[in-house]
Amino acid sequence: AEYMGVVHFISTAFVMTAWGDRLICFCRYCQAYTFRSIDLFIKSLGPVLFLFAITLISGVTYVYFAFLSDIAIGKGTPQWYAVTALGLWILFNLIFNYVMCVITKPGYTTDLDREELDDDHQKLRQLTEQTNQSARFSIWCRKCKMPKPRRAHHCSICNKCVLKMDHHCPWVASCVGLNNYRYFVLFMTYLWFGTLYIAVIAARPFYLVMFRHFDDLVPDLAQRGQLMFTFAICATVWLCISGLLGWHVFLILTGQTTIEFYDNQVQAREARFRGEFFVFEHDVGRERNFEAVFGRGRFWFSFLLPSTAKPISDGLHFASRGEWSDLDHVV
């Protein structure tokens, strides 16, 4: 009887273990399916958000020329021509950088020369063996089945490894990486200027109509609604984009991407715990960090001008404090 009890216990444990393994496999399958569904949803959302953004820009432009500029400045006056010329310059650069950010590929590992990519991968492997350390991020992509160079990361939405990946942005229907990061930052810059421009112009008419009840200023009810919506959307977007733009200015001046920032925070905490000071390898000074994104122009404001210049880096080699330094910095 005692022997049979032991057999029963072992068989029950075996069955429970088998069902437990099946349950774990099922949960993993559900997790993978959920994440993949979210990725597909975000990917399909991209073109919709792009059209939505263009519609908003077009709508605000229409309101400005239809009646806002007339009641706020006075159409046909010298001030109107000066202010409108400034607005058209902002609008042109806003649309130019937005469209260029959308149509320019961020840069993928598949775009690189395979021989150079293999050579870079071999150097990373040798560095691993020499230092007896492991890289912070894998130097081989299991999904793409090819080497992954420094600062490249696999995007589950694009299903590709992106060079110097910052993040995946649904508003541009793509990743923001090496080749289109400049357009992305300039798009945000001109969006910041544009929304501030319209909000300032619309502020006085909005105040008079909403709080002083000067209905004669905008007698048409539809136009009154358009005025309120235009001011509200521009003021809201300006507040939101101020924080986002400020964040990316910080990243540019410190030579980081969004992904690298969070990993660097972890490394900085680990260094403090060891009584050391962490320095990011690719932070080579504000001026050089800035030039790595925008290039070097003839004038201080050259980076604000429309340009299709390619980035300085080729996706494999980046300015650094020391070539092939501490493997903790290899990403």
Side-chain angles (χ1 to χ4, degrees):
E2 187 175 323
Y3 172 76
M4 292 301 295
V6 172
V7 171
H8 177 72
F9 173 78
I10 294 175
S11 61
T12 303
F14 177 78
V15 172
M16 290 180 65
T17 302
W19 276 104
D21 291 341
R22 292 177 183 177
L23 181 61
I24 292 174
C25 291
F26 177 75
C27 290
R28 288 177 178 174
Y29 171 81
C30 291
Q31 183 185 47
Y33 180 80
T34 302
F35 287 159
R36 187 55 186 160
S37 299
I38 294 174
D39 290 343
L40 291 173
F41 173 75
I42 294 175
K43 188 173 184 177
S44 62
L45 196 62
V48 178
L49 292 178
F50 173 76
L51 293 176
F52 179 66
I54 293 297
T55 302
L56 281 179
I57 295 171
S58 303
V60 171
T61 304
Y62 165 78
V63 169
Y64 175 84
F65 283 103
F67 64 91
L68 178 59
S69 62
D70 189 24
I71 64 175
I73 307 170
K75 191 172 290 186
T77 62
Q79 293 87 346
W80 183 88
Y81 285 109
V83 172
T84 301
L86 175 62
L88 289 176
W89 170 253
I90 294 174
L91 177 64
F92 170 77
N93 282 279
L94 171 65
I95 295 177
F96 171 80
N97 285 289
Y98 188 34
V99 172
M100 289 300 297
C101 185
V102 172
I103 67 176
T104 303
K105 294 192 299 183
Y108 304 112
T109 53
T110 51
D111 299 332
L112 299 174
D113 181 78
R114 186 56 190 259
E115 185 176 346
E116 292 184 3
L117 185 61
D118 289 338
D119 289 343
D120 181 76
H121 180 69
Q122 187 62 29
K123 289 180 181 179
L124 290 177
R125 290 188 60 185
Q126 291 175 357
L127 181 63
T128 305
E129 296 170 358
Q130 292 171 3
T131 59
N132 195 28
Q133 297 183 47
S134 59
R136 302 286 301 187
F137 296 96
S138 173
I139 59 176
W140 178 270
C141 182
R142 291 177 296 176
K143 295 183 178 179
C144 295
K145 293 181 174 59
M146 63 185 305
K148 187 169 62 173
R150 292 179 293 176
R151 313 189 81 177
H153 299 277
H154 186 88
C155 175
S156 59
I157 299 174
C158 298
N159 199 28
K160 292 181 180 179
C161 281
V162 180
L163 302 176
K164 198 186 176 185
M165 178 180 174
D166 188 87
H167 67 287
H168 185 94
C169 181
W171 289 97
V172 300
S174 179
C175 274
V176 176
L178 176 68
N179 294 332
N180 62 352
Y181 184 63
R182 177 180 187 271
Y183 298 123
F184 176 75
V185 175
L186 287 178
F187 162 65
M188 288 194 299
T189 301
Y190 281 104
L191 182 60
W192 187 88
F193 282 123
T195 50
L196 178 63
Y197 170 90
I198 293 296
V200 170
I201 292 175
R204 184 173 180 274
F206 176 81
Y207 171 77
L208 293 176
V209 172
M210 278 292 293
F211 301 103
R212 305 290 294 183
H213 304 293
F214 281 25
D215 296 339
D216 293 340
L217 187 64
V218 187
D220 187 87
L221 189 61
Q223 289 185 346
R224 207 177 301 163
Q226 292 168 5
L227 170 64
M228 296 175 184
F229 176 79
T230 298
F231 176 79
I233 194 69
C234 287
T236 303
V237 171
W238 181 81
L239 287 172
C240 295
I241 211 70
S242 294
L244 185 60
L245 179 60
W247 165 251
H248 280 280
V249 169
F250 164 75
L251 292 178
I252 291 171
L253 295 179
T254 54
Q256 306 176 87
T257 65
T258 299
I259 296 174
E260 290 168 348
F261 169 81
Y262 290 107
D263 179 65
N264 289 342
Q265 293 300 299
V266 174
Q267 295 190 67
R269 284 196 296 269
E270 293 175 352
R272 285 196 299 269
F273 181 78
R274 297 191 302 265
E276 300 172 353
F277 183 75
F278 172 78
V279 178
F280 182 47
E281 178 190 5
H282 299 293
D283 182 3
V284 291
R286 294 181 180 179
E287 184 176 351
R288 291 186 65 191
N289 291 338
F290 187 86
E291 290 174 354
V293 175
F294 296 104
R296 182 178 298 175
R298 182 175 299 179
F299 309 103
W300 67 266
F301 56 84
S302 295
F303 74 98
L304 291 171
L305 302 177
S307 172
T308 57
K310 294 183 179 180
I312 296 176
S313 173
D314 59 359
L316 285 176
H317 309 96
F318 298 91
S320 61
R321 292 173 178 265
E323 191 66 15
W324 309 110
S325 60
D326 189 350
L327 192 65
D328 278 349
H329 304 308
V330 176
V331 295

